[in-house]
């Protein structure tokens, strides 16, 4: 069995041969048609020239009569008409030469010779009339002149009429013959075209039955088998009937289907094993989640219980301090002044109470019980309250605490108490954990972003800075006591929770002089930029 390449090569070759034969037939028919049309048009053109020649001869006769009847008439009129007759004769002669003299057909040569003889007679008649006009004009007797001129014109008509009639009839017959030849050619070309169409259709039918239809049937069979394999029928196989390209394709298809069947079996086994593994791991994860939830519930309950148990005695202590302070004030004459002592005790108790409240907030934040009271507030006012709250501790530690409010105040939507506690907690972290700390700067700046105006709160210190893994400080119960002081490890975690609830971001970094930097990025109100009321560029609290 020949390959598909050979079949398609034969198909293309046959198609090309048909196209070439059709093109050659079209060119041949066009050439024949052009010849017939050219011969017919040439005959029509010569007929028109003969009509023009007949008119010129008539004009020449009238000019000759006028020249003889009027001896005083100028000879130029007769000369002009004679030249026009000669010009018309030359045109007819040229047309005969171009149409027939160059033809290789003997019949055309005979017709050319037969037509040149009448044309020569017309030339001779014109010359003879010209000589007779000259002789008649010399005659002095009018009657004899008239008789001589009439005889010359009769002779001229007798010599030019039959040749012209012969030429006109010959050209008319040529036109009729051309029309008949055109009709005959049309009939022949129509018959040839019909025959060619029939041969082409027969050739196409043979090619379709022998090449195209069997190939399409085998391709359709392969397509159905591929669809069956795609639907999951991996046992589908095709019979290899030929050894051509399609036969090789069918053999490869059968091998592919067999490999897919084997692979499907392995995948089914692997899928079953994977499902067993997933079920086992899911059970382990479910048990681990239950244990984690139990531990988490125990931890939250622990924070809630500790906070509840500590707040009551702290409240009692604060109440006793207030009572003792009032009693000391009533004993006006006594030398002992317990006021500063009670003030110190109260500050310490207040700090302990805030720490306990932080623990309670952490426990509530995890259970979703905290609600923020957000409203339009001044960012400078919130920062000023936080700096005032941490000022005494900064003075005790001999650390300079500076507030730089910037050029403009910024109005933000926030819970002022929670935001103040966040800033104060960040300052307190720096005071307690930065070794060798001498200065803390709290600054406020604004910036415009595609999302709107933002307020940037920055807390910088000149301590040793954060460790390399600074993001780990946001983890719950993570402590980085840079100064050796122990802490609960909840300050930054709680600060991030509060800032995120204000639609903001908190990040850690390094200050310009190598210290630690904390940045709070908070959204500002659209009309939140307010001109600064206080002319001071910054506020200093604490001691250097």
């Amino acid at each position: 069995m020949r390959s598909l390449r050979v079949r398609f090569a034969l198909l293309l070759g046959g198609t090309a041969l048909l196209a070439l034969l059709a093109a050659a037939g079209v060119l041949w028919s066009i050439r024949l048609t052009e010849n017939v049309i050219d011969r017919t048009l040439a005959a029509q053109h010569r007929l028109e020239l003969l009509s023009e020649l007949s008119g010129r001869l008539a004009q020449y006769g009238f000019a000759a009569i006028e020249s003889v009847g009027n001896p005083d008439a100028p000879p130029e009129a007769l000369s002009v008409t004679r030249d026009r007759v000669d010009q018309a004769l030359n045109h007819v002669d040229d047309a005969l030469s171009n149409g027939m003299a160059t033809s290789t057909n003997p019949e055309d040569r005979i017709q050319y010779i037969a037509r040149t003889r009448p044309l020569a007679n017309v030339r001779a008649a014109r010359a003879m009339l010209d000589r007779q006009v000259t002789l008649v004009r010399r005659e002095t007797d009018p009657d004899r002149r008239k008789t001589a001129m009439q005889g010359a014109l009769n002779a001229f008509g007798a010599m030019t009429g039959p040749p012209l009639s012969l030429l006109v009839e010959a050209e008319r017959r040529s036109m009729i013959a051309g029309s008949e030849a055109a009709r005959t050619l049309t009939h022949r070309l129509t018959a040839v075209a019909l025959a060619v169409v029939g041969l082409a259709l027969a050739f196409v039918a043979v090619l379709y039955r022998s090449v195209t239809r069997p190939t399409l049937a085998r391709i359709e069979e392969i397509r159905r088998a591929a669809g069956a394999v795609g639907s999951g029928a991996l046992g589908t196989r095709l019979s290899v009937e030929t050894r051509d390209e399609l036969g090789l394709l069918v053999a490869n298809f059968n091998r592919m289907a067999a490999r897919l069947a084997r692979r499907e079996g392995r995948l089914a086994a692997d899928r079953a094993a994977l499902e067993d593994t997933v079920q086992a791991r899911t059970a382990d994860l479910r048990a681990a989640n239950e244990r984690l939830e139990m531990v988490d519930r125990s931890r939250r309950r622990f924070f809630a219980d500790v906070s509840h148990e500590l707040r009551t005695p702290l409240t009692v202590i604060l109440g006793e301090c207030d009572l003792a302070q009032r009693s000391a004030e009533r004993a006006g004459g006594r030398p002992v002044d317990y006021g500063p002592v009670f003030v110190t005790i109260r500050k310490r108790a207040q700090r302990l109470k805030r720490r306990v409240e932080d623990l309670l907030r952490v426990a509530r934040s995890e259970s979703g019980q905290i609600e923020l009271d957000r409203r339009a507030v001044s960012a400078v006012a919130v920062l000023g309250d936080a700096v005032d709250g941490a000022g005494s501790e900064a003075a005790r530690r001999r650390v300079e605490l500076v507030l730089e409010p910037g050029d403009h105040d910024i109005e933000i939507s926030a819970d002022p108490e929670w935001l103040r506690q966040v800033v104060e907690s960040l300052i307190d972290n720096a005071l307690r954990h930065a070794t060798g700390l001498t200065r803390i700067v709290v600054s406020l700046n604004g910036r415009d972003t595609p999302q709107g105006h933002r307020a940037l709160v920055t807390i910088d210190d000149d301590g040793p800075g954060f460790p390399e893994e600074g993001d780990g400080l946001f983890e719950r119960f993570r402590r980085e006591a840079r100064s050796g002081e122990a802490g609960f490890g909840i300050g930054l975690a709680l600060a991030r929770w509060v800032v995120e609830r204000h639609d903001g971001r908190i990040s850690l970094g390094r200050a310009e002089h190598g210290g630690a930097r904390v940045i709070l990025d908070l959204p500002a109100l659209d009309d939140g930029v307010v001109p600064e009321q206080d002319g001071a560029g910054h506020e200093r609290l604490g001691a250097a």
Side-chain angles (χ1 to χ4, degrees):
M1 181 63 70
R2 290 177 295 182
S3 66
L4 289 178
R5 293 182 180 179
V6 176
R7 292 183 180 183
F8 284 115
L10 292 176
L11 176 62
L12 293 176
T15 305
L17 180 60
L18 282 177
L20 291 176
L21 292 176
V26 170
L27 293 176
W28 174 72
S29 61
I30 291 173
R31 185 62 181 269
L32 291 178
T33 305
E34 288 179 351
N35 290 334
V36 172
I37 293 173
D38 290 340
R39 290 170 64 88
T40 303
L41 292 177
Q44 183 178 1
H45 179 64
R46 290 193 296 272
L47 187 60
E48 293 174 354
L49 292 177
L50 289 174
S51 299
E52 182 182 0
L53 176 61
S54 177
R56 298 298 185 186
L57 289 174
Q59 291 178 0
Y60 182 69
F62 291 140
I65 293 173
E66 184 178 0
S67 175
V68 172
N70 187 10
D72 298 330
E76 288 80 10
L78 184 62
S79 176
V80 170
T81 56
R82 183 173 57 247
D83 293 337
R84 290 178 179 176
V85 170
D86 293 338
Q87 185 178 5
L89 287 171
N90 292 332
H91 288 167
V92 173
D93 193 11
D94 293 338
L96 290 174
S97 300
N98 294 332
M100 299 179 184
T102 58
S103 177
T104 58
N105 190 354
E107 185 179 355
D108 291 338
R109 299 290 298 176
I110 294 173
Q111 290 182 2
Y112 173 71
I113 295 172
R115 293 176 185 178
T116 54
R117 289 177 181 177
L119 192 61
N121 292 335
V122 173
R123 288 181 181 275
R126 197 277 306 163
M128 185 183 67
L129 179 61
D130 191 36
R131 289 193 299 271
Q132 288 179 353
V133 168
T134 302
L135 294 175
V136 170
R137 291 185 66 178
R138 294 176 183 177
E139 184 67 38
T140 58
D141 187 6
D143 294 332
R144 296 181 62 183
R145 181 185 300 175
K146 180 179 180 181
T147 302
M149 188 62 202
Q150 186 175 3
L153 288 175
N154 290 334
F156 178 75
M159 292 182 65
T160 58
L164 287 177
S165 299
L166 178 63
L167 290 174
V168 169
E169 182 64 20
E171 298 301 335
R172 188 179 64 82
R173 288 196 301 270
S174 296
M175 290 182 62
I176 294 173
S179 299
E180 293 292 334
R183 283 193 294 271
T184 303
L185 180 61
T186 301
H187 294 159
R188 290 179 180 177
L189 291 178
T190 303
V192 170
L194 292 176
V196 170
V197 170
L199 291 175
L201 293 177
F203 181 75
V204 171
V206 170
L207 290 178
Y208 177 77
R209 292 180 60 87
S210 61
V211 178
T212 305
R213 188 172 67 178
T215 303
L216 292 178
R218 295 172 67 188
I219 292 175
E220 178 63 20
E221 184 180 2
I222 295 173
R223 187 194 66 79
R224 289 197 298 268
V229 171
S231 300
L234 299 180
T236 304
R237 299 293 185 273
L238 295 173
S239 61
V240 182
E241 299 176 355
T242 58
R243 296 181 179 276
D244 55 8
E245 288 81 359
L246 283 178
L248 295 176
L249 178 61
V250 169
N252 291 331
F253 177 84
N254 292 334
R255 287 194 294 270
M256 178 194 69
R259 288 196 299 270
L260 288 176
R262 292 193 296 269
R263 186 175 300 173
E264 180 68 17
R266 292 194 297 269
L267 286 177
D270 294 340
R271 188 182 300 110
L274 180 60
E275 290 178 354
D276 295 338
T277 303
V278 169
Q279 291 179 357
R281 296 296 181 267
T282 302
D284 295 341
L285 287 174
R286 188 177 293 109
N289 286 333
E290 292 176 355
R291 291 193 297 271
L292 288 175
E293 289 178 358
M294 185 181 299
V295 172
D296 191 57
R297 286 195 299 270
S298 299
R299 181 173 60 83
R300 289 200 299 268
R301 187 169 54 252
F302 165 75
F303 277 115
D305 294 342
V306 169
S307 301
H308 178 73
E309 294 298 330
L310 289 179
R311 290 181 68 183
T312 300
L314 286 175
T315 303
V316 174
I317 291 173
L318 292 174
E320 291 297 330
C321 289
D322 292 338
L323 181 60
Q325 186 174 7
R326 287 194 298 271
S327 297
E329 291 176 355
R330 284 195 295 270
R334 296 181 183 180
V336 179
D337 184 9
Y338 295 101
V341 176
F342 288 129
V343 170
T344 303
I345 292 174
R346 179 175 177 80
K347 288 183 179 179
R348 298 298 180 179
Q350 286 286 2
R351 291 185 59 197
L352 182 58
K353 182 181 179 182
R354 283 197 298 271
R355 182 55 62 196
V356 172
E357 289 176 350
D358 288 342
L359 289 171
L360 182 59
R361 291 190 190 96
V362 171
R364 288 180 178 175
S365 66
E366 295 176 352
S367 60
Q369 297 179 6
I370 292 180
E371 295 183 0
L372 299 180
D373 181 18
R374 296 182 63 175
R375 56 183 183 273
V377 296
S378 169
V380 173
V382 174
L383 297 180
D385 292 341
V387 170
D388 290 340
S392 60
E393 182 66 19
R396 190 183 69 81
R397 294 177 180 267
R398 297 184 180 275
V399 175
E400 182 183 13
L401 180 58
V402 179
L403 172 62
E404 295 182 352
D407 297 333
H408 300 284
D409 191 1
I410 301 176
E411 191 175 30
I412 59 177
S413 176
D415 186 324
E417 181 61 25
W418 272 103
L419 191 58
R420 180 197 62 77
Q421 292 181 18
V422 167
V423 177
E424 188 173 348
S425 175
L426 295 174
I427 296 173
D428 185 67
N429 283 339
L431 291 172
R432 291 187 295 109
H433 300 307
T435 304
L437 181 67
T438 62
R439 178 182 172 88
I440 299 176
V441 179
V442 181
S443 59
L444 173 66
N445 294 288
R447 68 186 181 96
D448 292 323
T449 65
Q451 292 76 24
H453 194 62
R454 311 286 295 186
L456 297 180
V457 179
T458 306
I459 297 96
D460 290 340
D461 64 55
D462 58 354
F466 294 111
E468 293 182 0
E469 299 179 357
D471 292 338
L473 298 178
F474 286 109
E475 299 177 3
R476 280 291 171 68
F477 311 107
R478 172 72 178 269
R479 289 197 298 264
E480 285 291 340
R482 292 174 287 176
S483 62
E485 296 187 11
F488 289 104
I490 62 174
L492 289 178
L494 182 61
R496 183 171 66 176
W497 187 90
V498 173
V499 172
E500 289 177 353
R501 292 305 180 275
H502 282 81
D503 303 323
R505 296 184 299 272
I506 183 171
S507 59
L508 306 180
R510 185 172 295 276
E512 296 179 357
H513 301 291
R517 168 175 288 180
V518 183
I519 301 175
L520 307 182
D521 187 350
L522 300 170
L525 298 179
D526 293 339
D527 56 347
V529 178
V530 181
E532 181 65 35
Q533 300 294 332
D534 189 1
H538 60 272
E539 181 182 356
R540 293 178 178 270
L541 297 175

